[in-house]
Amino acid sequence: MISEKIREDFPIFKKRKFIYFDNACTTLKPQCVIDEVVRYYSEYSGCAGRSMHRIGKETEAAFEKSRAEIADFVGAKKEEVVFTKNCSEALNLVARSLDFSKKRGVVTSVLEHHSAFLPFQLLADAGKIKLDVVYPDKESWLFDAASWTEKIGRDVRLVVLHHTNNTFGTQPPLREIIGAAHDAGALVLLDAAQGVPHSETDFKKTGADFMAFSGHKMLGPTGIGCLVARSALLEEMPPFLVGGETIASVSLEKTVFAKPPHKFEAGIQNYAGAIGLAEACRYLRKQGMREVERHEREMFAYALAKTEGIPHLDVYGTHDASKRSGIFLFNVRGVSPHQVAIMADSMKGICMRSGVFCAEPGMKFLGIPDGACRASFYLYNTKQEIDVFAETLAAVAKTLGR
Amino acid sequence: MVFCLVAVAAFAVLGIFSAKYRAYAAEAWNCAFKTVTLRKCDTGFDEKMKAKIVAKLLSYSPPVARFVHEQFVAISWILVASTIVSGVMVAQAAYNTYAYGNCNGPDADEACVFNPAGSGFSACGVSTTGKYLRYPPSLEGHSLGAKGALAVVEFGCFTCPYTKKAEPVVKQMLAEYGNRIYYVFKSFPASHQYDWDSAEAAECAAEQNRYWDYHDAIFAGQADVRANGTQALAAIARELGMDAVAFEQCLLSDRYLKAVNATYEEGLVSKIYGTPTFFVGNQTFVGYKSYDVLKNAVEQELGK
């Protein structure tokens, strides 16, 4: 059970009074993460992997230790973790570096985040891949494994799918889809931006070949993300960005690139970000990822119960909390989602997202092209906050809804 | 979209006082510019403002919030129309202030925020005269100070409350400037049924060399005069110890009607449209003005 006392770990709660329900966008930072970032800048802000002096070596040690800890947190080996600036870059890395010359098929879904969809749409537009899109059931908004498996043929090189949906928090049948992909000889790229922060996500256990996630969505600093990939694949793939640190040797005639993961990490890295993210992993591990997941589901179920009976309110997606993370997607009929979000902020300081959540094709497919409101919960959210949220929603919906 | 047009004006004014509103004004301007150039305002500014306004109203009155939410565009149009109308009215008032010294027009006596010279337009209105004041044709009349000095001419009416209100100001001016000015009071019966009687009564007092005493006493007892007319005027004469019989005969004879009419005619020539009206050198002031206003004018005219 996560105690409300953990709110004391987050300095922002001491500084301002607000209700933060925009955790699917980014999360708040605990003091320990901030301290680690500050510690890098104030105590040993050197370069890793280059300098022989003590500051450089200290940085390198902290950076690589962070990589190992993050790898451990997601059930991967140290050398399987490539640092990127965010999840989007990690997804782009795969799109740009993976060889599609022999098999051109890529299967993805209509519910993907733009960051997962656009790199492949660009490749398709350039004629480099053949993109095929899977749709969920229009009623339940859930995916049927068969709808994926029927599209994953022998010509498919890569299956791109989300671990957890960023608009309403459901999961596709990962095991079946990944199994089918491997049966067909395809690779799997898992967009785990909403997975790693909210549930116990073990790279090896998922069976995926690539997995991308961001640090800032899991209490870590902004500007740091990871691509986790099977070592053999990283060995095969050429670097996406090149520069300092990506090489073993360079001559005018030929360059030999470094071993992965370093061959993908061009230039000076976000050391503070990686160190901060490792601390965030330690913090989450201390709370227990199963507890985090349970807490979010409890918050979702509570929000569902508290908002039941509010007129003119549409709560989207399955109402079965066990099938969702803590994302509460809704609309007040007759009021635009942006207005609901602004009103909630003006009235009670409730911060939530409105719009199409970087998932425009999905929102169109689901019949809410003008978007919706998204209240996304995390480990520090409380039932009292949801009480205020429900009261505010009731006031808006009863008065303005149609 | 329409709302931006109103918002740009409102926030431009509020922006004078707060940086927050300056940012809003810039946003509103961006949106308004797109609106008037027939493009779509895609900044979301109007939506944001609508939500903020409705959110505030929700805490006070849900029905009002609902009404504003549903009729926001209509309300915005009404606000745009009223902004235009009030803009026209302000322009008109500014013109009136320039032309007549009063934003409400030549014949009005309501308060006027534009009038920087004091507490608004406070004069007894006359609706029969022309628009532009002209310098009095003569400096004839009852006077104080030194002849040949700076002329300060007042057209006043004994039964006008604003002329009464201006009396202490005149007294203060005379006390300060004495012989450096030449103050002339011209009766201009303008506002009440006993105004002519009062003007004649003052002339009758002059017969007994008590003009200024009587002049002051009428203003002091103005309420009584306005209520009781000649009876009150006679009572004042008695209280001042004047020859009451001679005074009453004088008043009944109407022998100063012509004299009063003469100053009245001068007032018409000068296009007086309210009392008191002061001519300080070449400067004119219609209605009661604070001492500072008249003092300032006297100083300017003396300095020429």
Side-chain angles (χ1 to χ4, degrees):
Chain A
M1 184 102 177
I2 292 175
S3 157
E4 275 185 30
K5 277 198 164 173
I6 68 154
R7 287 171 72 87
E8 290 168 15
D9 299 340
F10 293 79
I12 197 166
F13 289 131
K14 289 173 201 149
K15 291 192 173 148
R16 54 197 309 172
K17 204 171 170 327
F18 71 128
I19 294 176
Y20 191 74
F21 284 170
D22 197 13
N23 294 292
C25 190
T26 195
T27 56
L28 306 176
K29 319 302 173 201
Q31 188 63 51
C32 59
V33 168
I34 299 166
D35 287 346
E36 279 304 304
V37 172
V38 171
R39 206 161 75 79
Y40 164 72
Y41 285 117
S42 55
E43 293 181 19
Y44 57 95
S45 56
C47 300
R50 301 158 169 75
S51 309
M52 291 297 125
H53 55 72
R54 66 187 78 181
I55 295 287
K57 286 292 160 199
E58 231 174 284
T59 302
E60 191 175 319
F63 184 51
E64 292 305 330
K65 183 168 166 268
S66 298
R67 190 195 303 276
E69 281 180 349
I70 295 163
D72 189 48
F73 185 75
V74 295
K77 283 183 264 172
K78 182 176 177 298
E79 57 275 15
E80 290 176 326
V81 174
V82 177
F83 284 121
T84 56
K85 74 167 182 274
N86 46 37
C87 184
S88 300
E89 188 188 307
L91 294 161
N92 274 274
L93 191 161
V94 178
R96 295 300 176 98
S97 294
L98 192 66
D99 179 17
F100 291 101
S101 62
K102 294 193 183 79
K103 291 211 290 186
R104 292 173 60 240
V106 173
V107 174
T108 190
S109 88
V110 72
L111 295 189
E112 300 309 318
H113 189 282
H114 293 164
S115 291
F117 179 70
L118 296 181
F120 297 97
Q121 190 184 44
L122 276 185
L123 290 182
D125 288 348
K128 292 178 180 165
I129 62 163
K130 191 177 152 293
L131 194 59
D132 207 352
V133 178
V134 179
Y135 298 87
D137 177 63
K138 217 158 183 176
E139 289 298 309
S140 68
W141 294 17
L142 294 171
F143 282 105
D144 174 11
S147 59
W148 287 83
T149 50
E150 70 195 20
K151 297 212 173 195
I152 305 171
R154 301 300 304 178
D155 59 335
V156 172
R157 170 71 164 146
L158 185 69
V159 174
V160 182
L161 82 162
H162 54 276
H163 177 287
T164 302
N165 181 284
N166 80 309
T167 41
F168 50 97
T170 55
Q171 288 186 356
L174 290 176
R175 193 179 294 274
E176 289 90 329
I177 298 165
I178 294 170
H182 287 165
D183 288 347
L187 300 171
V188 174
L189 166 57
L190 203 55
D191 170 8
Q194 300 293 341
V196 173
H198 303 286
S199 58
E200 205 170 54
T201 309
D202 189 296
F203 175 64
K204 200 174 273 172
K205 283 185 193 161
T206 62
D209 302 280
F210 302 99
M211 183 172 89
F213 62 94
S214 262
H216 70 97
K217 289 188 198 292
M218 49 187 287
L219 312 179
T222 52
I224 189 78
C226 297
L227 174 69
V228 186
R230 283 200 289 117
S231 292
L233 289 165
L234 290 178
E235 294 274 1
E236 279 172 28
M237 285 157 61
F240 161 48
L241 296 165
V242 289
E245 185 67 9
T246 59
I247 46 86
S249 68
V250 180
S251 72
L252 292 179
E253 291 73 34
K254 184 168 171 60
T255 293
V256 178
F257 285 101
K259 289 263 172 215
H262 298 108
K263 90 169 165 186
F264 295 100
E265 295 173 356
I268 292 295
Q269 293 297 292
N270 182 359
Y271 307 124
I275 290 161
L277 177 54
E279 179 59 30
C281 291
R282 282 195 288 276
Y283 184 87
L284 284 170
R285 180 167 268 173
K286 202 164 78 189
Q287 307 305 327
M289 285 314 290
R290 289 207 176 152
E291 269 307 303
V292 171
E293 192 176 6
R294 193 200 58 73
H295 181 79
E296 283 185 34
R297 285 195 172 140
E298 189 184 334
M299 291 294 119
F300 174 81
Y302 188 70
L304 203 61
K306 289 297 284 187
T307 54
E308 203 182 337
I310 293 179
H312 318 295
L313 181 72
D314 290 328
V315 179
Y316 299 117
T318 173
H319 287 197
D320 180 352
S322 69
K323 290 191 173 134
R324 294 181 72 146
S325 67
I327 299 181
F328 187 84
L329 187 74
F330 68 95
N331 258 327
V332 174
R333 287 192 296 278
V335 192
S336 91
H338 291 314
Q339 289 189 355
V340 173
I342 294 168
M343 284 180 205
D345 185 19
S346 298
M347 290 163 75
K348 295 288 175 188
I350 299 167
C351 302
M352 62 180 167
R353 180 87 180 267
S354 53
V356 293
F357 321 112
C358 299
E360 218 174 319
M363 298 296 273
K364 281 179 184 156
F365 172 77
L366 297 170
I368 37 175
D370 295 330
C373 291
R374 181 181 72 179
S376 48
F377 313 125
Y378 209 19
L379 70 169
Y380 37 65
N381 290 127
T382 65
K383 287 184 177 173
Q384 288 91 320
E385 288 180 320
I386 290 173
D387 289 340
V388 176
F389 168 70
E391 280 162 24
T392 310
L393 212 55
V396 172
K398 277 181 194 159
T399 313
L400 309 177
R402 272 201 297 263
Chain B
M1 276 161 67
V2 185
F3 179 75
C4 302
L5 300 177
V6 191
V8 76
F11 287 127
V13 175
L14 291 169
I16 297 168
F17 307 105
S18 153
K20 175 179 145 191
Y21 294 120
R22 278 197 283 282
Y24 280 160
E27 232 180 300
W29 168 251
N30 184 318
C31 178
F33 185 70
K34 284 187 173 162
T35 304
V36 296
T37 51
L38 303 176
R39 287 177 293 168
K40 191 170 162 33
C41 168
D42 50 7
T43 61
F45 176 76
D46 47 348
E47 195 173 29
K48 185 164 84 182
M49 286 299 135
K50 177 182 170 183
K52 278 178 183 273
I53 292 166
V54 174
K56 278 262 181 289
L57 292 172
L58 266 177
S59 342
Y60 297 107
S61 167
V64 174
R66 186 182 174 92
F67 178 78
V68 172
H69 176 73
E70 287 174 353
Q71 304 300 332
F72 194 72
V73 174
I75 293 168
S76 299
W77 271 117
I78 291 168
L79 287 174
V80 168
S82 30
T83 305
I84 292 168
V85 169
S86 65
V88 169
M89 287 169 78
V90 166
Q92 197 180 23
Y95 172 76
N96 282 340
T97 307
Y98 167 74
Y100 315 122
N102 166 47
C103 59
N104 296 312
D107 302 331
D109 59 358
E110 292 90 15
C112 169
V113 290
F114 275 160
N115 195 334
S119 58
F121 186 77
S122 31
C124 300
V126 181
S127 58
T128 53
T129 53
K131 288 182 176 177
Y132 300 104
L133 290 170
R134 289 184 193 157
Y135 200 74
S138 81
L139 292 180
E140 297 294 317
H142 298 281
S143 62
L144 292 167
K147 200 163 189 172
L150 169 67
V152 175
V153 182
E154 177 185 358
F155 280 89
C157 171
F158 285 110
T159 49
C160 166
Y162 297 112
T163 308
K164 174 185 159 92
K165 196 177 172 191
E167 272 300 290
V169 172
V170 172
K171 290 276 181 295
Q172 198 177 347
M173 181 168 59
L174 285 164
E176 186 167 347
Y177 293 97
N179 286 335
R180 294 163 69 199
I181 58 170
Y182 182 60
Y183 170 71
V184 182
F185 182 84
K186 287 176 184 286
S187 266
F188 189 74
S191 64
H192 196 264
Q193 58 173 324
Y194 300 121
D195 49 1
W196 284 83
D197 293 319
S198 304
E200 284 180 60
E203 295 304 325
C204 290
E207 243 182 29
Q208 298 185 35
N209 291 323
R210 300 295 297 277
Y211 177 81
W212 288 109
D213 293 339
Y214 196 84
H215 167 108
D216 294 351
I218 296 181
F219 286 120
Q222 194 187 58
D224 192 22
V225 172
R226 281 166 71 100
N228 302 311
T230 48
Q231 274 183 8
L233 292 167
I236 292 169
R238 280 196 298 279
E239 278 161 30
L240 289 174
M242 287 162 53
D243 180 341
V245 177
F247 178 84
E248 281 178 48
Q249 275 177 355
C250 171
L251 200 53
L252 283 171
S253 71
D254 267 346
R255 64 174 171 262
Y256 288 106
L257 185 62
K258 223 173 150 183
V260 172
N261 195 46
T263 57
Y264 181 71
E265 287 291 337
E266 279 193 44
L268 295 184
V269 170
S270 291
K271 311 271 185 191
I272 300 299
Y273 58 85
T275 59
T277 292
F278 292 91
F279 292 84
V280 181
N282 288 326
Q283 300 187 35
T284 55
F285 300 93
V286 180
Y288 165 80
K289 304 295 169 201
S290 68
Y291 180 61
D292 288 343
V293 174
L294 289 179
K295 177 186 162 73
N296 191 32
V298 170
E299 289 287 346
Q300 283 177 10
E301 293 297 318
L302 285 174
K304 275 183 183 170

